[in-house]
Amino acid sequence: MPWLDTLDRYWHEITAWGALIDFVLVGVTVCWILTNKKEATSALAWCLLVVFLPFVGFLLFWQFGYQHVHRPVMRKLRQKQRFRQTHQAETAAATPRVETAAMPSDWRGLAQLARRFDAFPLTGGNDLQLYHEGQPAYDAMLAAIEGAEHHVHAEFFIVQPDDTGRRFVAALTRKAKAGVETRLVYDAMGSHRLSRATLQPLRDAGGQAFAFLPLAPLRRRMQINMRNHRKILVVDGRVAFTGGLNIGDEYLSKDPHFGFWRDTHMRLEGPTVAALQRVFLEDWDFASGTHLKGDCYFPESRPHAGDTAVQVVHSGPDQTLNAIREVYFAAIGRARKRLWIATPYFVPDAGVYDALRLAGYQGVDVRILFLFRPDKWLPFLAGRYYLGDLLDAGVKVFQYAKGMMHAKVMLVDGQWASVGSANL
């Protein structure tokens, strides 16, 4: 065959040029990795892969490396900065004056630390209702939507096209037909089963729905590490819901694959609702490209709606430091008596792992509750890797056996708690 003859004739030249190209490619890729990866372990792993797998290592990093999310991250960061500059009045409304009496004095330092990481101020006078099962929380959300007079803002990682999802979209559609401003943000990957047909009645009624970072394989936009994992519902700027629940049958214990679903969600009323509203509006601005302004989205909260102190801490890849991670780390370090953690996916970084062990060695009652029957085997097996040393340090580990435990909760000394959508 002619091409075999050509290869046999010039194989020395081909090998030499291949080695030279690989040498240059490795050098460029290693520099690329070192400028993109801040974690030494990750950078070293990628560098070794590129060095010992000629050409293939480069292709793997080019396809799966973190650098592909750099452009949307920068776009999100620029959008957030622009939003805050052009919505100064709304930003001020969403950052009310701190009520120093809202938290015991020995915990105010943690609230101030969170502020340094772009969290909202700690505010008192909030009413908070906790739900530990899906159906009561879902009923409360539907009731709030039915009572909406001006707007309904919903943002969820997962919206399933099942019976529960269709009922939720139908509730939004009814309010849109009644003239209420209705907006939905859903994550394109988490809600990949959600079809255009399911959302069309909502859009036909005048409601709006946008995917967060739509999947575009031809543009290599398939990243799983730049997704919107939030679960937020804001009604009329006065009532808000957040926590661990998405929209789907499984969250109401109606999916036989998961069985009973244990989760933690909450309803909020008071000044802290404005903070969740601003988080939604920033994400809406990014997902839809439309700007929402006006006092109608930040009405005066009901004075002294309750007696709970609440601080909204939000995180994302558009932050230099992960605010929730830093607050968790600081809270673990402040524990003196009890540190109880519930998380379905337990894969701590090195710093959090060492902090948990140190708390155990110091005699703190550290308890970690996670899954017994995993829905995702990879994080489950990765999490089990850490358990031996934690047990040796005196940490107690429990596995939830009744069904799916999806709650994301941290309790410290009976005085400070975190409830949200962030896994550990």
Side-chain angles (χ1 to χ4, degrees), residues 131-136 245 249-264 371 373 400-407:
Y131 304 95
H132 62 271
E133 291 186 24
Q135 192 65 57
L245 288 171
D249 285 347
E250 61 265 38
Y251 302 96
L252 304 186
S253 303
K254 295 181 178 180
D255 189 326
H257 174 71
F258 295 102
F260 179 78
W261 190 282
R262 169 69 174 84
D263 217 319
T264 304
L371 297 175
R373 298 181 182 87
Y400 190 84
K402 185 177 180 179
M404 177 66 186
M405 199 286 300
H406 194 248

Side-chain angles (χ1 to χ4, degrees), residues 63-137:
Q63 182 63 36
F64 300 108
Y66 186 74
Q67 71 275 10
H68 289 326
V69 305
H70 180 73
R71 184 175 297 177
V73 164
M74 290 298 100
R75 183 161 63 91
K76 182 71 168 67
L77 180 59
R78 289 193 299 269
Q79 170 271 337
K80 181 168 68 174
Q81 293 171 342
R82 184 184 69 252
F83 180 92
R84 296 184 181 184
Q85 291 171 357
T86 57
H87 295 69
Q88 293 182 3
E90 290 86 345
T91 298
T95 53
R97 179 175 60 83
V98 179
E99 298 191 17
T100 56
M103 179 176 278
S105 58
D106 54 342
W107 286 95
R108 291 177 197 159
L110 189 58
Q112 294 168 358
L113 176 68
R115 288 286 289 142
R116 297 194 62 180
F117 300 126
D118 199 34
F120 294 89
L122 172 73
T123 62
N126 297 285
D127 178 69
L128 187 152
Q129 297 182 35
L130 277 175
Y131 304 95
H132 62 271
E133 291 186 24
Q135 192 65 57

Side-chain angles (χ1 to χ4, degrees), residues 108-399:
R108 291 177 197 159
L110 189 58
Q112 294 168 358
L113 176 68
R115 288 286 289 142
R116 297 194 62 180
F117 300 126
D118 199 34
F120 294 89
L122 172 73
T123 62
N126 297 285
D127 178 69
L128 187 152
Q129 297 182 35
L130 277 175
Y131 304 95
H132 62 271
E133 291 186 24
Q135 192 65 57
Y138 188 73
D139 292 342
M141 286 192 286
L142 289 180
I145 292 172
E146 293 297 334
E149 298 178 353
H150 182 265
H151 64 267
V152 178
H153 292 161
E155 179 175 4
F156 289 92
F157 176 57
I158 296 174
V159 179
Q160 299 283 24
D162 53 23
D163 180 64
T164 300
R166 287 191 294 269
R167 286 177 57 206
F168 187 82
V169 173
L172 297 179
T173 303
R174 286 193 297 273
K175 300 312 294 186
K177 288 181 179 178
V180 174
E181 297 179 15
T182 307
R183 299 178 178 93
L184 170 65
V185 176
Y186 59 94
D187 185 76
M189 182 168 289
S191 304
H192 65 276
R193 295 178 54 209
L194 189 63
S195 66
R196 184 183 298 272
T198 304
L199 295 173
Q200 196 58 46
L202 172 62
R203 292 178 171 131
D204 291 342
Q208 295 178 279
F210 285 90
F212 187 91
L213 278 183
L215 303 178
L218 296 180
R219 297 176 62 185
R220 292 178 287 131
R221 191 182 290 169
M222 293 291 289
Q223 298 82 10
I224 61 172
N225 52 349
M226 175 68 178
R227 309 316 315 172
N228 189 322
H229 195 245
R230 291 170 177 150
K231 305 102 166 66
I232 297 174
L233 176 67
V234 180
V235 177
D236 290 340
R238 300 184 182 279
V239 177
F241 294 81
T242 191
L245 288 171
N246 289 294
I247 305 299
D249 285 347
E250 61 265 38
Y251 302 96
L252 304 186
S253 303
K254 295 181 178 180
D255 189 326
H257 174 71
F258 295 102
F260 179 78
W261 190 282
R262 169 69 174 84
D263 217 319
T264 304
H265 214 67
M266 55 187 171
R267 179 189 186 275
L268 294 161
E269 189 175 356
T272 200
V273 173
L276 289 170
Q277 179 80 295
R278 201 190 80 182
V279 172
F280 173 86
L281 291 181
E282 288 184 3
D283 288 343
W284 177 261
D285 187 52
F286 178 76
S288 69
T290 57
H291 313 292
L292 300 177
K293 296 183 67 174
D295 295 337
C296 55
Y297 300 111
F298 295 93
E300 286 286 338
S301 61
R302 180 162 63 89
H304 306 295
D307 57 2
T308 304
V310 178
Q311 183 176 34
V312 174
V313 183
H314 61 295
S315 278
D318 55 346
Q319 291 181 333
T320 304
L321 291 173
N322 187 310
I324 294 178
R325 186 271 180 196
E326 300 300 325
V327 170
Y328 277 7
F329 182 83
I332 294 170
R334 291 187 64 89
R336 295 296 179 266
K337 298 178 181 178
R338 296 188 300 276
L339 173 63
W340 296 354
I341 297 170
T343 179
Y345 313 115
F346 177 69
V347 189
D349 64 32
V352 171
Y353 173 62
D354 287 340
L356 290 170
R357 292 175 62 215
L358 182 60
Y361 282 127
Q362 290 179 321
V364 177
D365 179 15
V366 183
R367 305 184 187 189
I368 298 173
L369 174 66
F370 72 116
L371 297 175
F372 178 69
R373 298 181 182 87
D375 63 325
K376 297 176 177 62
W377 279 97
L378 185 59
F380 177 77
L381 294 175
R384 291 185 65 87
Y385 169 81
Y386 298 94
L387 298 186
D389 289 341
L390 288 174
L391 291 169
D392 291 340
V395 175
K396 302 178 182 69
V397 178
F398 300 86
Q399 294 177 269

